[in-house]
Amino acid sequence: MFPVETIPAAFDAVRSGEAQGACVPVENSVEGPVTATLDSAVDGDPLVAVAEALLPIRFSVLTRSDAPDPPRTVASHPHALAQVRGWLAEHLPKAEQLVASSTAGAAVGVLEGQYDAAVVAPVAAEHYPLRVLATDVADLADARTRFLLLRRPGQLPEPTGADRTSIVVAAANRTGSLAGLLAELAMRGINLTRLDARPVKGDYGTYRFFFDFEGHVAEPRIADALAALRRRSTEVRFLGSHPRADGVAATLEPGAGNDDFAAADAWVEAVRKGELA
């Protein structure tokens, strides 16, 4: 296990084979989607999520022993700074807030003298020879971030009944495109748990849509929906099926269970064979 300074670097380490997997943040209950993760998921060779974790968010503020007291500058990733705005306003009101590529990058910047202090994960205090100015820092007590464990494509985790599937879809830029995609899920009784949009680089006005929904690709109803989405889209990238960290079981509407889909497929096959009673 080794740290890297940016989310794209974590993706690159897995794609190059330098690392077997990468743990990256994908969404935060305060700031929403982590756009660097979304963009990195589509900018290179495919990686798939095989697990997720929900972590309560608490930060530490680290500084050098010879840094000004109080610090004149404090740096971190934008998501981290956003989650401690209140604390910084109260305790370091005169400190200039600077953006770093990551919380780890901010800690390195403090070591190198670029910043006076860094807002970091508490574990950073074990890896960098810095002084802990404050710990257990958070504006909201229930703030959480969802992390994904990414690997190169291969065998997926077995379905558990409490799973999440993630895809990214590039839809045609025309009226009703997104509504049509969502309808494919709704018609199959599949519950959408997250929807984000990111612009397609170099094609102004065109967007990719990131979907998270309940279920596993091994289930007939999910496979049926993915096939329909593929037909409707210019591009679909599968981002993984894995157990949900919160253990919430999928919602199954009447007539939309896996047995219902299997029975319907069997009926169609019987019709094709002339075996219809």
Side-chain angles (χ1 to χ4, degrees):
M1 181 181 296
F2 59 92
V4 294
E5 289 195 12
T6 67
I7 290 172
F11 276 80
D12 290 342
V14 181
R15 286 171 173 145
S16 68
E18 182 183 3
Q20 293 182 329
C23 184
V24 297
V26 67
E27 64 174 333
N28 174 262
S29 61
V30 177
E31 285 297 291
V34 181
T35 56
T37 296
L38 301 187
D39 290 342
S40 296
V42 298
D43 283 346
D45 294 336
L47 298 180
V48 295
V50 297
E52 68 177 30
L54 277 173
L55 299 181
I57 299 303
R58 294 291 185 274
F59 295 98
S60 292
V61 181
L62 305 184
T63 185
R64 296 186 312 280
S65 58
D66 62 345
D69 187 16
R72 293 186 297 246
T73 58
V74 57
S76 194
H77 187 274
H79 274 240
L81 291 173
Q83 293 176 77
V84 296
R85 285 193 188 105
W87 188 92
L88 291 174
E90 179 180 354
H91 297 278
L92 298 175
K94 296 183 179 180
E96 181 184 4
Q97 298 179 29
L98 302 174
V99 171
S101 59
S102 66
T103 56
V108 172
V110 173
L111 280 174
E112 295 176 348
Q114 299 176 49
Y115 320 118
D116 295 335
V119 177
V120 298
V123 69
E126 302 173 14
H127 296 280
Y128 301 99
L130 296 171
R131 180 171 64 91
V132 178
L133 182 66
T135 192
D136 199 32
V137 175
D139 288 350
L140 296 177
D142 63 346
R144 295 184 295 174
T145 294
R146 182 162 68 99
F147 289 83
L148 299 178
L149 174 60
L150 302 175
R151 290 180 178 164
R152 290 184 294 278
Q155 185 173 0
L156 295 173
E158 293 294 323
T160 65
D163 304 293
R164 192 190 315 273
T165 291
S166 303
I167 62 172
V168 57
V169 180
N173 186 9
R174 62 173 182 263
T175 303
S177 289
L178 178 57
L181 298 176
L182 296 176
E184 296 293 354
L185 299 178
M187 287 188 299
R188 292 165 176 81
I190 297 171
N191 186 34
L192 187 71
T193 60
R194 183 176 66 95
L195 169 61
D196 293 306
R198 293 290 295 157
V200 175
K201 296 176 182 177
D203 191 2
Y204 179 77
T206 301
Y207 291 83
R208 289 187 176 97
F209 299 100
F210 291 79
F211 292 172
D212 283 356
F213 47 84
E214 294 178 348
H216 192 286
V217 67
E219 300 176 53
R221 67 194 186 100
I222 302 301
D224 193 62
L226 290 177
L229 292 171
R230 181 65 183 85
R231 290 193 302 270
R232 279 185 173 268
S233 309
T234 58
E235 176 192 358
V236 176
R237 177 172 285 200
F238 176 73
L239 300 180
S241 287
H242 54 78
R244 290 179 59 155
D246 55 16
V248 174
T251 303
L252 295 179
E253 300 292 335
N258 290 310
D259 291 342
D260 298 309
F261 276 85
D265 287 342
W267 180 83
V268 171
E269 187 61 25
V271 170
R272 288 172 173 166
K273 293 179 179 179
E275 298 174 354
L276 184 62

